[in-house]
Amino acid sequence: MYRTHNNGELRSEHINETVTLSGWVQKTRNKGFMIWVDLRDRYGITQLIFDEERTTQEVMKIASELGREFVIQVTGKVIERESKNPNMPTGDIEILVSELILLNESLTPPFTIEDETDGGEDVRMKYRYLDIRRNPVRENLVFRHTVTMAVRNYLSGKNFVEVETPYLIKSTPEGARDFVVPSRMNEGQFYALPQSPQTFKQLLMVGGMDRYFQIVKCFRDEDLRADRQPEFTQIDCEMAFVEQEDILQTFEGLTRHLLKEIKGVEIGEFPRMTYDDAMRTYGNDKPDIRFGMKFGELNEVAQHRNFNVFNAAELVVGIAVPGANSFTRKEIDKLIDWVKRPQIGALGMVYCRCNEDGTYKSSVDKFYDQEDLARWAEATGAQPGDLICVLSGDTNKVRAQLSALRMELAERLGLRKPDEFAPLWVVDFPLLEWDEETERFHAMHHPFTSPKPGQMELLRTQPGDVKANAYDLVLNGNEIGGGSIRIHDKEIQSKMFDYLGFSEEEAKAQFGFLMDAFQYGAPPHGGIAFGLDRLVAILGGQETIRDFIAFPKNNAGRDVMIDAPAPIDEAQLQELNLQLNL
């Protein structure tokens, strides 16, 4: 037996008991005649004491040679600690060691394994197995487990059945690029790793499973961003014989359950907003509604003067920043520089101070009088003490620019509080979006999404106006889940493929198996998928998903710990009938 107790559970009531503990040496303090060792495992730290008057010379010698992260086993008596540590759960006791076994030595770690470490991110990712020994990382992984179990328990209680679907599937042309896997036994042919189990969960509905879920790895070979991983985890769900309202109620319930069980937060009915309203009011389809700063469109009150910048713009739009009239001119200039960065792309920013005495002072006073500026304040909802920030330009671009500015200001003003939770349903997305590169419409979600009832015929005449029977769940400005009611009729699905530019042969080659299945009594069905990594990070009060993944990749999609991806040898290439062009 390596241990009778873990290093976090011994208390005063265990005094005079003989115990056996195992773990890693956190640190040692050697006074010569007395040695103290902090012994750590997943559960906590227990102080060990070696005393030359009460400990054998052999044990004292081994103790004097212990280094950081050595793995040891000790047996001894629990005694009362002379200098108690109220900051440690085990701070009232220590172990007077009688036996000490060295289980394994350790090199000196490349960084300090403590809550506040001296290791940079790159070093900690290279030695991730050591980083996991640190409390913050380990607690994040335990937290992820807690969330996952709460999800499983809730869905199981709602008659959902967890079903595993294949990882080696067929590549499809829609969506992001696939990771492909060569088949040794089928020369020149390839599997793809799933971007989602979409078609399989629909087939499970055809198979009569009625309610399916899966906590599943998915893969996308996309250009990487700071907080995007090439492999990620979804809570994937599908339901039969449902309409949109059934799904919204079920998964609003799941989210409410998680907020209550994990965070102790009770949330009422989730607000709902159409995609068009979200874009018009917040400039994006996943607005953070923990704070205000709603967009005010200013065309009618700003394009009647001789200010050509506004007059030439498709849209003039502004936000009222609460209390920001206190910003200095230097701070405002920095904001203007911020929106002009290439990542944002604005040409500049007009501002207007809303003074406490009810007067206004703008950067364009040459063109606008007090009455004009008062109308700006009315349109943006500005109050005395606020600052109005105004951008102008092409509608889609300027909305995205102002949305980015809104989020940046909220961050600077401390309005994005991690302990506040503001969920929101966004509904009625466009079914299709125009791709300038290919000069045709693509499915905004995927080609299996059903149009809103009664809008199928609009696809021929006004495809850009057709709304999808789709919905996203947004939490604190992040999309945490999205889904739709699916097409379940073969003829309608065939028409959809046709509208999306698939030939009959292409549709049959790519999705013939699904079309065939629809001929055997496919029920009405729909579903949703949550991004587990993002959900856990938000519930954990953090923005970075990497902190909640055991072995994440870096920003370049590399696993620096195992050095992957990596070349394979020539023999493997030949076996797979592959040849590299060097």
Side-chain angles (χ1 to χ4, degrees):
M1 183 183 296
Y2 280 108
R3 58 188 178 187
T4 58
H5 298 77
N6 65 53
N7 287 311
E9 66 179 306
L10 295 174
R11 302 290 187 271
S12 297
E13 56 266 28
H14 297 97
I15 288 175
N16 292 324
E17 289 185 20
T18 298
V19 299
T20 298
L21 303 177
S22 294
W24 289 266
V25 173
Q26 175 82 12
K27 61 183 177 181
T28 62
R29 299 179 298 284
N30 190 337
K31 296 291 187 181
F33 63 92
M34 194 171 289
I35 301 170
W36 290 271
V37 173
D38 285 350
L39 187 65
R40 183 194 72 244
D41 62 11
R42 169 187 149 189
Y43 306 96
I45 294 176
T46 298
Q47 179 169 284
L48 314 178
I49 183 170
F50 302 82
D51 181 347
E52 66 179 12
E53 294 184 359
R54 296 175 287 178
T55 305
T56 66
Q57 286 188 347
E58 180 184 0
V59 172
M60 287 292 290
K61 182 176 186 304
I62 300 172
S64 68
E65 296 172 350
L66 294 176
R68 285 167 48 201
E69 302 307 311
F70 278 35
V71 187
I72 62 173
Q73 178 189 33
V74 298
T75 298
K77 182 183 288 188
V78 183
I79 62 174
E80 186 173 3
R81 187 165 167 172
E82 288 189 13
S83 299
K84 293 182 172 58
N85 185 345
N87 298 318
M88 288 175 60
T90 60
D92 289 343
I93 60 94
E94 59 190 359
I95 310 301
L96 178 60
V97 178
S98 56
E99 297 178 34
L100 168 60
I101 298 173
L102 178 60
L103 299 175
N104 216 332
E105 295 183 358
S106 173
L107 297 174
T108 301
F111 55 87
T112 305
I113 299 177
E114 293 180 354
D115 290 5
E116 298 296 327
T117 183
D118 54 1
E121 187 173 351
D122 291 342
V123 174
R124 288 188 289 110
M125 286 189 72
K126 181 175 177 60
Y127 298 94
R128 183 65 167 179
Y129 45 85
L130 297 180
D131 203 28
I132 290 172
R133 293 182 189 173
R134 296 173 53 242
N135 285 330
V137 180
R138 185 183 64 250
E139 287 168 2
N140 282 348
L141 296 181
V142 173
F143 182 77
R144 181 186 178 108
H145 162 76
T146 302
V147 173
T148 302
M149 288 304 297
V151 169
R152 281 196 162 98
N153 291 338
Y154 177 88
L155 292 175
S156 297
K158 297 290 185 182
N159 292 324
F160 283 80
V161 178
E162 187 165 12
V163 182
E164 296 176 76
T165 54
Y167 277 158
L168 295 176
I169 65 168
K170 189 176 190 177
S171 182
T172 59
E174 287 291 309
R177 285 184 293 272
D178 291 322
F179 282 100
V180 295
V181 181
S183 171
R184 179 181 59 83
M185 294 180 289
N186 300 276
E187 183 176 347
Q189 296 186 317
F190 297 82
Y191 297 106
L193 299 179
Q195 296 182 35
S196 84
Q198 180 61 45
T199 54
F200 288 100
K201 64 180 179 179
Q202 291 189 248
L203 292 172
L204 287 169
M205 296 303 100
V206 177
M209 288 305 298
D210 193 68
R211 292 189 170 200
Y212 141 94
F213 85 99
Q214 184 181 188
I215 297 178
V216 59
K217 279 284 188 185
C218 300
F219 308 85
R220 290 179 186 168
D221 189 8
E222 296 182 295
D223 295 334
L224 294 165
R225 296 199 298 256
D227 208 27
R228 175 182 284 171
Q229 293 279 304
E231 55 180 311
F232 55 96
T233 306
Q234 283 188 180
I235 307 166
D236 198 59
C237 308
E238 199 79 3
M239 304 169 71
F241 301 108
V242 290
E243 296 177 335
Q244 178 177 296
E245 188 63 29
D246 301 303
I247 293 175
L248 267 55
Q249 289 294 332
T250 300
F251 292 98
E252 184 170 315
L254 170 61
T255 310
R256 196 180 288 117
H257 172 77
L258 291 176
L259 287 168
K260 183 177 181 181
E261 290 296 309
I262 305 298
K263 303 301 295 183
V265 174
E266 299 223 23
I267 302 282
E269 188 174 339
F270 294 4
R272 299 182 187 183
M273 184 181 299
T274 66
Y275 170 87
D276 290 342
D277 285 345
M279 296 302 293
R280 184 171 57 253
T281 309
Y282 296 101
N284 70 69
D285 58 5
K286 47 182 184 296
D288 190 336
I289 59 170
R290 285 175 292 181
F291 54 93
M293 289 195 274
K294 293 182 179 180
F295 288 11
E297 297 191 356
L298 303 175
N299 288 40
E300 290 186 9
V301 295
Q303 289 185 325
H304 63 294
R305 299 290 186 178
N306 293 324
F307 187 50
N308 290 332
V309 172
F310 284 176
N311 292 342
E314 187 178 2
L315 176 66
V316 182
V317 62
I319 52 173
V321 187
N325 190 26
S326 62
F327 283 10
T328 64
R329 175 60 189 269
K330 188 175 181 180
E331 287 175 310
I332 294 174
D333 286 344
K334 284 183 177 179
L335 270 185
I336 295 171
D337 290 339
W338 189 89
V339 300
K340 290 167 72 173
R341 296 180 314 148
Q343 301 94 314
I344 308 301
L347 296 177
M349 183 185 84
V350 169
Y351 65 90
C352 174
R353 295 181 180 276
C354 303
N355 298 318
E356 296 290 349
D357 63 3
T359 62
Y360 302 94
K361 177 66 178 173
S362 81
S363 57
V364 286
D365 279 349
K366 178 180 177 181
F367 300 98
Y368 297 95
D369 59 26
Q370 290 292 298
E371 185 178 340
D372 292 326
L373 300 177
R375 294 165 75 189
W376 291 17
E378 183 181 0
T380 58
Q383 301 296 315
D386 292 353
L387 179 74
I388 303 172
C389 297
V390 183
L391 301 181
S392 61
D394 294 342
T395 297
N396 291 339
K397 287 182 180 179
V398 76
R399 281 176 174 167
Q401 292 161 357
L402 190 60
S403 175
L405 176 61
R406 175 179 179 268
M407 295 296 279
E408 175 67 16
L409 285 163
E411 195 70 47
R412 295 186 186 189
L413 295 170
L415 301 177
R416 301 190 69 201
K417 298 176 183 177
D419 57 348
E420 289 183 10
F421 299 94
L424 165 75
W425 286 109
V426 178
V427 299
D428 294 355
F429 283 80
L431 182 68
L432 307 173
E433 58 184 345
W434 182 255
D435 187 319
E436 295 287 350
E437 192 173 316
T438 60
E439 294 188 340
R440 68 182 181 90
F441 282 104
H442 289 265
M444 191 168 190
H445 289 82
H446 53 63
F448 316 110
T449 298
S450 174
K452 293 285 283 188
Q455 296 202 2
M456 191 71 192
E457 293 309 313
L458 278 178
L459 281 170
R460 290 250 179 241
T461 56
Q462 298 168 276
D465 294 338
V466 179
K467 300 299 183 186
N469 206 343
Y471 33 82
D472 278 358
L473 182 56
V474 176
L475 182 61
N476 294 0
N478 295 275
E479 177 202 331
I480 60 167
S484 66
I485 298 299
R486 323 300 186 190
I487 297 169
H488 66 278
D489 178 271
K490 180 185 176 182
E491 294 308 315
I492 295 176
Q493 186 65 74
S494 295
K495 286 182 181 179
M496 179 60 72
F497 286 139
D498 182 39
Y499 295 148
L500 292 172
F502 287 84
S503 68
E504 188 174 340
E505 293 75 20
E506 287 172 333
K508 184 172 179 58
Q510 294 292 336
F511 304 110
F513 63 94
L514 185 65
M515 306 286 278
D516 289 345
F518 283 176
Q519 297 177 104
Y520 293 94
H525 60 282
I528 193 169
F530 286 74
L532 179 64
D533 308 304
R534 172 70 57 205
L535 174 62
V536 171
I538 295 171
L539 292 175
Q542 299 184 37
E543 292 283 334
T544 307
I545 65 173
R546 189 184 298 159
D547 294 339
F548 293 86
I549 298 172
F551 299 103
K553 309 268 187 304
N554 68 9
N555 290 353
R558 293 196 63 82
D559 187 324
V560 295
M561 182 182 67
I562 64 173
D563 193 23
I568 60 175
D569 62 38
E570 187 64 34
Q572 283 180 289
L573 287 172
Q574 290 178 2
E575 195 171 38
L576 294 168
N577 302 296
L578 296 175
Q579 183 176 356
L580 292 181
N581 295 318
L582 300 177

